């Protein structure tokens, strides 16, 4: 693959240059994408690292390195840029040769000869089965599925997972909401008000008249999960596993995880509640302790999430990646701290948070809310423009850009 080969060629040349200059370069030499306004293919920050250790002028070192790299046959130009970057443009002949390599052996192109053997689990979308898959989930699906495909193409071992939030208080609230639709009473203030629950209530069997809220919630979630699975199929996304939160509750994993954290001295009692000492965990990035079990004896959302992530590691995965929507920024340091509390390397956990998708009706911004029933379903867009066009536009932006 051209980037692998170029990284090696550039790194070898840079190390020879550094030796001649009496400089030391880091063991890992990163290659970055230049900002959009810079007309270059690759950006190399290596002179900055060398200058800091040698107490030399980084821009002068960048100019010197640029001259060396310009002599490589694959490189059209190498230019120094303040404060000490070298921006590189690749020759068209090198790109053409790479294109020829793709056409000669398309099935194996890109596979790493000595790639990592770690097992990677990527969890994405994981939309609550309390309504249809909405537009924003398409971005997470594109990111996750694309990353799984890329890693597997490289020869890595990457698996995909959809976490189905069908347990706990959410199922109860959904059940109360659809039961109110069935009986013609008021939906709870914090319940789910979408009109799609009216159709689900009408489709319920006659025996539903005797159901309690939990049974109604289970019925609604099963009915809503089926189109989730179909939407992902139509969107071209395949999950290796649809992991149900209810499985976690039924397996006893939640109290077992709590006992495990206690055995590691990571749990303490305060104000009649059970807390995780995330602030003191080695490698923690969270500055607050977090409640695991409330004073009423019920677990917070955090404890099942920790149990689920422990299960990921217990299944043999050595790198865990979560892809979240924009409302999960605060969740990331908390979960990384929990990984540390479990005794796992915090760097083995990585979260990708994609930004908001802004929807406008005319000139007016529309606030999407699944509970209010005000959103655009992903399937609507796919039916109108097709999955390829849809995925293309989601893939066009980096996760940290607004769409």
């Amino acid at each position: 693959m051209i980037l692998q080969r170029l990284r090696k060629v550039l790194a070898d040349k840079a190390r020879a240059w550094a030796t001649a200059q009496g400089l030391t370069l880091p063991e890992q030499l990163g290659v970055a994408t230049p900002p959009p306004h810079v007309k270059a293919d690759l950006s190399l920050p290596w002179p900055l690292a060398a200058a800091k250790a040698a107490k030399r002028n980084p821009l002068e070192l960048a100019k010197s390195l640029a001259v060396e790299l310009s002599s490589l046959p694959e490189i059209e130009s190498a230019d120094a840029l303040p404060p000490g970057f070298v921006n590189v443009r690749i020759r068209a002949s090198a790109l053409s040769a790479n294109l020829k390599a793709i056409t000669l052996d398309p099935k194996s192109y890109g596979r790493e000869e000595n790639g990592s053997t770690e097992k990677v689990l990527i969890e994405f979308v994981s939309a609550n089965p309390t309504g249809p898959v909405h537009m924003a989930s398409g971005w997470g699906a594109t990111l996750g599925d694309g990353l799984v495909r890329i890693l597997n193409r490289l020869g890595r071992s990457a698996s995909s997972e959809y976490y189905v939030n069908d347990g706990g208080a959410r199922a109860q609230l959904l059940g109360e909401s659809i039961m109110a639709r069935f009986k013609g009473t008021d939906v709870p203030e914090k319940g789910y008000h979408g009109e799609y629950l009216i159709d689900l209530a009408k489709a319920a069997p006659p025996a539903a008249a005797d159901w309690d809220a939990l049974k109604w919630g289970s019925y609604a979630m099963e009915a809503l999960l089926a189109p989730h699975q179909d939407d992902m199929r139509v969107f071209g996304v395949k999950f290796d596993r649809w992991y149900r939160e209810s499985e976690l509750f039924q397996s006893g994993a939640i109290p077992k995880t709590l006992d495990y954290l206690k055995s590691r001295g990571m749990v303490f009692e305060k104000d009649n509640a059970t807390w995780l000492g995330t602030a003191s965990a080695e490698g923690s990035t969270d500055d607050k302790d977090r409640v695991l079990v409330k004073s009423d004896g019920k677990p917070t959302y955090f404890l099942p999430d920790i149990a689920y992530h422990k299960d990921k590691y217990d299944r043999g995965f050595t790198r865990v990646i979560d892809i979240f929507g924009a409302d999960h920024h605060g969740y990331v340091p908390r979960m990384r701290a929990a990984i540390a509390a479990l005794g796992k390397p915090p760097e083995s956990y990585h979260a990708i948070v994609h930004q908001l998708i802004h929807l406008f009706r005319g000139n007016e911004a529309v606030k999407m809310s699944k509970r209010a029933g005000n959103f655009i379903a992903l399937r609507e867009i796919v039916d109108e423009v097709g999955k390829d066009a849809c995925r293309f536009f989601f893939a066009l932006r980096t996760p940290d850009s607004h769409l």
Side-chain angles (χ1 to χ4, degrees), residues 224-281:
L224 290 166
L225 182 60
H228 279 219
Q229 294 171 323
D230 191 51
D231 285 349
M232 289 296 100
R233 179 189 60 78
V234 171
F235 201 55
V237 176
K238 176 184 175 295
F239 286 96
D240 294 306
R241 182 173 179 180
W242 293 72
Y243 192 112
R244 293 172 179 264
E245 186 182 22
S246 56
E247 294 178 49
L248 204 65
F249 280 93
Q250 292 165 8
S251 69
I254 294 170
K256 289 176 184 176
T257 298
L258 183 60
D259 289 342
Y260 179 75
L261 290 169
K262 287 179 179 178
S263 73
R264 300 196 73 249
M266 298 308 303
V267 172
F268 65 93
E269 303 291 327
K270 186 178 76 171
D271 300 331
N272 296 320
T274 304
W275 298 67
L276 179 68
T278 47
S280 58

Side-chain angles (χ1 to χ4, degrees), residues 77-115:
S77 65
D79 301 302
L81 201 70
F85 291 93
V86 176
N87 290 324
V88 172
R89 295 187 71 176
I90 305 168
R91 286 189 186 278
S93 57
L95 296 172
S96 297
N98 187 64
L99 182 59
K100 185 176 182 180
I102 297 173
T103 57
L104 288 174
D105 192 7
K107 290 185 178 180
S108 63
Y109 175 81
R111 187 169 294 273
E112 295 178 340
E113 293 182 6
N114 298 302

Side-chain angles (χ1 to χ4, degrees), residues 199-215:
D199 293 333
L200 276 183
K202 289 179 179 178
D210 299 322
W211 288 353
D212 60 12
L214 204 57
K215 178 68 175 176

Side-chain angles (χ1 to χ4, degrees), residues 260-324:
Y260 179 75
L261 290 169
K262 287 179 179 178
S263 73
R264 300 196 73 249
M266 298 308 303
V267 172
F268 65 93
E269 303 291 327
K270 186 178 76 171
D271 300 331
N272 296 320
T274 304
W275 298 67
L276 179 68
T278 47
S280 58
E282 184 177 353
S284 172
T285 55
D286 196 7
D287 59 356
K288 293 181 181 179
D289 295 322
R290 303 289 177 175
V291 178
L292 297 177
V293 181
K294 296 178 286 187
S295 57
D296 61 4
K298 295 180 180 179
T300 62
Y301 287 125
F302 193 32
L303 181 55
D305 285 347
I306 297 173
Y308 172 48
H309 282 77
K310 181 179 184 299
D311 181 75
K312 293 179 180 182
Y313 286 98
D314 290 347
R315 282 184 273 154
F317 293 102
T318 53
R319 180 168 296 277
V320 172
I321 299 173
D322 291 340
I323 297 179
F324 295 126

